[in-house]
Amino acid sequence: MIKNRILWILWLVCMAGAAVITGTWLFAAVLLLTVLILIFSAGSVVLSGKKAVIKLHLPKASERMECFHGKMYLENQSAWPVFGGAGVLRWENLFTGEKGEIPLSFSLGGKEKQVIEFEAGSNWCGCIRFCFSDWKCQDFFRVFSLKRKADTCAYTVVMPERQKGELSLFTREGFDMESFRYSGSRPGDDPGETYDIREYRSGDSIRQIHWKLSGKLDDIMIREKSFPVDDTVLILAEAFQADRDPQRAETVAEVFSAVLQSFMEKKISCQAGVYDHSTGKFRLEKIRTEEDRENILYRFLRYGSDAKTPVTVREYLKDPGIQNFANYVYITGDPQDKEAELLAAKGEVTIVGCGTGGRDSGGEQVLWKYGSQNPKDSQKQHMENNCPVSCWKLH
């Protein structure tokens, strides 16, 4: 556009100089006509694009490192044409921080509708937000321009690669199966299982006295009943990272998926929880089928990616409901994340730290191979596709 303006200015200067030097009306008439054309062009820019409606459409989900197709629908509700429209379609992976731009240009006749197709893709899983917030309306000669607002956004979710876990957490033996039925951190009122044996305290019910053991020990002993749990494990994953790192984020999503898959295949009763930023509500879902796994993973990436602070545990604790869990699995990619400590009062907590380094907790560490295991894909990304994962129980 700057080049066009310079050329038109030079043309005006030449015509004005020629009219003065030669004194002929021809150059003066050409100069006047040029000025009138420029005035008309400026007026056309003011009138065009006022009633342009722009909408974006993206697929609900797509695969990592594969192109997906999006569409931008344009409609000029005015009879005045849009001679030239130009803007930038900006996108951002809310989960990893990856960003990019796609320049677009178009023209619309009066009352015309048009569809512009574009291709995009991401090297990482997550929720990809596309925004076309403003664009420039230009005249036919590309001399004048005026900004127009669009404010349209669309989202698509890039699902993570499916991986097999190598942590003992993913095995049925990784948990005490008896604790799946009864809480190990709090007494209850179920006489079917004993939570603890202790000495008598003032106020204890006579019905709780363990008569046989009291006779052997020559002291009054109390048998505390167990607290039954409805489901064995609650799995929580936190999308927030103070310093967003795509490798850690990718690993968090894959580990979350792998835990759900492993528990489902081994028929370990579990639920998963996700905080939905769009509604401000915490959602709990039973994981029984492949569809359940995909749905909760989609919700985690789509509605949990836009976190400004770690919120998953806190939102769950605000209203945990009447559901009782004996074990909690907390998956995070933030090295400074201490949210799991808030769960300690409710049950046994297992923390899975993705890319957070080892901790002096006697836990387990593996090198997680994230993403596609095709060597060609790794070469395209110019990086080693592995991330350290630590797993330990909170004491």
Side-chain angles (χ1 to χ4, degrees), residues 43-53 75-78 80-82 135 137 146-149:
S44 69
V45 170
V46 175
L47 295 174
S48 67
K50 282 187 173 182
K51 295 184 178 181
V53 178
E75 180 182 1
N76 185 11
Q77 298 179 345
S78 170
W80 191 265
V82 177
W135 55 284
C137 183
L146 196 63
K147 281 189 176 182
R148 299 293 185 193
K149 288 289 183 181

Side-chain angles (χ1 to χ4, degrees), residues 284-355:
L284 279 176
E285 299 287 345
K286 291 181 180 290
I287 308 301
R288 302 291 185 266
T289 65
E290 179 63 22
E291 184 179 358
D292 295 336
R293 186 194 70 85
E294 290 184 353
N295 285 342
I296 198 68
L297 189 59
Y298 177 87
R299 285 184 179 278
F300 170 68
L301 294 172
R302 172 64 180 87
Y303 302 111
S305 294
D306 199 17
K308 302 297 185 294
T309 57
V311 295
T312 303
V313 172
R314 295 176 186 270
E315 292 298 330
Y316 163 66
L317 293 176
K318 281 182 181 179
D319 185 18
I322 60 174
Q323 198 77 31
N324 307 313
F325 298 96
N327 295 269
Y328 294 84
V329 176
Y330 183 67
I331 305 167
T332 179
D334 187 359
Q336 306 303 321
D337 194 337
K338 304 292 185 182
E339 296 293 295
E341 296 175 2
L342 301 175
L343 291 170
K346 296 186 68 64
E348 187 175 89
V349 182
T350 301
I351 303 175
V352 183
C354 303

